[in-house]
Amino acid sequence: MDLIDQLNALATRIRVTKDLIQTEEATKNAMVMPFIQILGYNVFDPTEVTPELIADVGTKKGEKVDYAILRDGNPIMLFECKRCGGDLHINHASQLFRYFHVTESRFGVLTNGLKYRFFTDLEQPNKMDNTPFFEFDILDFKERDVEELKKFAKSSFDIDTILNTASDLKYTRAIQERLNEWVANPPEEFVRLLSTDLLGGRRFTPTLKDQFTQITKRAFEQLLSERINVRLKGAMAAEVPTASEHSAPIIPHPADDAEVETSAEEIEGLHIVRSILRDVVSPRRIVMRDNLSYCAILLDDNNRKPVCRLRFNNTQKLAVGIFGPDKAEERFSLEEIDDLYSFADRLRATVSMHLPIEE
């Protein structure tokens, strides 16, 4: 099983059990140890993964780090764990800071079982940075995140390879966070820069500032949506499925209506449904047909095999329609798109209803 398949399987299990896990110890056993195991390290071999590794740090005796991954008897990666969903502020990583300083390890990981923040010493040698250079979210990861995570796997672990890209990753992540803030709330300096040439010499008054702030936000949102649609169209044209894959397109496509435009929220919903159904059918068989009033999610691009309908046109009132044995649609309100995961069992049952017994 590929790394991404193992991570998806762990993510599915965690979504079901995370609300039951209340302690740090339970988080280690149910979440962190399986994650380390997926990376190829034997969590039951203390010469490879040592729990509560002890070291003396200055006047502090018996300092412990939750897990140390060893190679040739030396720590190469340190894990400090908090309870599931616990705060991962850098102020809560004091033991990781101290232990990082007195060992040969170049990588420290702060985790709550859901998010894994990877640190190194880019700013000062042998002193762990305050900000991570890479973050992996087990419940929300992309293929590029998995590619970065692979570098920490036992089979491919190489310090120089990771450090060569760590700086770029760190600053790319920082710039992405800044841009994300600007999309939601463009700063005045940025709005002024964009609008200066458009005002024809007019003074940048508070009224114009408010007007162009809203215009900038809309422009950002439309630009992102258009870029996503362009990528989807290119991918759809490039990928032609074979008969063995049930002739189902991989990428969602709109119905024959010039006014239909697939939104980023609808695409995210499709990916979540595919993730839920991955252990039932190939994701390639789950297809979206976008309409003016809803997005139909179908098995094998067949209207007679409906899975659900994403009713996301009103982003303030999200809903999903799920089909039962009688092919009738039952609608459910969603607070956010991730709430689709709470209907995982219903969606799997619907798809299974469309499958022949031999599958």
Side-chain angles (χ1 to χ4, degrees):
M1 187 183 294
D2 291 341
L3 178 62
I4 191 169
D5 294 322
Q6 296 181 70
L7 290 168
N8 277 319
L10 177 60
T12 299
R13 189 162 74 245
I14 286 176
R15 286 189 184 96
V16 175
T17 61
K18 63 184 176 67
D19 293 336
L20 304 175
I21 298 173
Q22 302 294 326
T23 66
E24 182 179 308
E25 198 62 31
T27 302
K28 293 179 188 177
N29 292 333
M31 298 180 173
V32 181
M33 287 179 65
F35 181 84
I36 294 174
Q37 187 87 21
I38 285 174
L39 292 178
Y41 302 99
N42 186 353
V43 295
F44 303 107
D45 181 355
T47 66
E48 191 163 292
V49 180
T50 300
E52 297 192 341
L53 190 64
I54 299 175
D56 294 334
V57 182
T59 58
K60 289 183 175 290
K61 306 297 180 182
E63 284 287 292
K64 296 180 181 179
V65 67
D66 289 311
Y67 294 104
I69 295 179
L70 310 178
R71 185 171 63 182
D72 300 326
N74 296 313
I76 59 172
M77 198 166 11
L78 310 173
F79 282 75
E80 182 168 341
C81 307
K82 304 302 177 184
R83 67 174 179 80
C84 176
D87 191 358
L88 292 182
H89 192 280
I90 194 64
N91 291 340
H92 298 163
S94 56
Q95 287 173 289
L96 194 59
F97 264 111
R98 290 194 291 268
Y99 207 92
F100 187 94
H101 180 67
V102 297
T103 69
E104 298 179 9
S105 175
R106 298 293 303 278
F107 304 107
V109 183
L110 181 63
T111 181
N112 57 13
L114 303 177
K115 295 183 179 180
Y116 292 79
R117 294 182 176 172
F118 290 75
F119 297 82
T120 188
D121 54 353
L122 294 173
E123 298 173 9
Q124 294 185 45
N126 207 32
K127 181 181 179 182
M128 196 175 85
D129 298 337
N130 285 321
T131 56
F133 67 90
F134 173 55
E135 180 171 317
F136 188 86
D137 188 335
I138 190 65
L139 297 184
D140 183 20
F141 58 84
K142 302 175 180 62
E143 287 191 20
R144 67 172 180 267
D145 299 326
V146 177
E147 291 303 311
E148 292 300 331
L149 186 65
K150 281 181 181 178
K151 297 175 183 177
F152 295 92
K154 180 181 177 180
S155 60
S156 55
F157 185 89
D158 180 77
I159 291 177
D160 292 335
T161 299
I162 300 173
L163 290 178
N164 284 339
T165 58
S167 180
D168 285 350
L169 279 173
K170 178 178 179 179
Y171 295 119
T172 298
R173 180 171 177 265
I175 290 173
Q176 286 175 338
E177 291 176 351
R178 179 70 58 85
L179 289 173
N180 193 46
E181 292 174 6
W182 286 7
V183 169
N185 187 25
E188 179 179 343
E189 296 80 2
F190 184 61
V191 175
R192 187 189 294 269
L193 176 65
L194 293 176
S195 60
T196 296
D197 294 338
L198 306 176
L199 293 176
R202 286 181 293 168
R203 191 167 60 87
F204 192 67
T205 63
T207 300
L208 286 175
K209 171 197 163 189
D210 293 341
Q211 178 185 356
F212 275 89
T213 295
Q214 295 305 315
I215 291 173
T216 300
K217 290 175 67 173
R218 286 198 300 273
F220 258 135
E221 292 166 357
Q222 291 173 9
L223 176 63
L224 291 173
S225 178
E226 288 169 4
R227 288 179 67 87
I228 289 172
N229 281 323
V230 167
R231 289 178 64 112
L232 285 174
K233 290 175 183 176
M236 184 166 59
E239 301 217 31
V240 180
T242 64
S244 63
E245 293 165 335
H246 303 270
S247 299
I250 302 169
I251 302 300
H253 59 88
D256 295 331
D257 193 317
E259 297 182 11
V260 174
E261 183 174 332
T262 303
S263 68
E265 290 82 6
E266 290 164 338
I267 294 166
E268 182 180 353
L270 171 66
H271 289 317
I272 290 176
V273 174
R274 282 179 166 175
S275 176
I276 290 170
L277 300 176
R278 188 182 185 90
D279 56 352
V280 181
V281 295
S282 168
R284 300 168 71 91
R285 299 178 62 182
I286 305 300
V287 180
M288 174 191 288
R289 285 194 190 178
D290 202 354
N291 298 283
L292 281 174
S293 56
Y294 61 83
C295 278
I297 306 296
L298 310 171
L299 177 66
D300 297 336
D301 198 17
N302 189 332
N303 279 325
R304 294 187 297 276
K305 298 180 180 180
V307 178
C308 65
R309 288 176 176 171
L310 304 180
R311 298 182 177 275
F312 291 178
N313 288 348
N314 182 355
T315 56
Q316 303 303 315
K317 190 177 181 181
L318 304 175
V320 61
I322 301 179
F323 294 87
D326 57 357
K327 300 292 182 71
E329 178 189 0
E330 184 177 1
R331 297 189 190 182
F332 302 91
S333 296
L334 305 174
E335 292 294 327
E336 54 186 28
I337 298 176
D338 276 356
D339 288 348
L340 283 170
Y341 286 111
S342 63
F343 298 97
D345 290 341
R346 291 284 301 267
L347 292 169
R348 293 190 187 103
T350 299
V351 168
S352 298
M353 177 178 68
H354 299 313
L355 298 175
I357 296 176
E358 61 267 25
E359 291 193 34

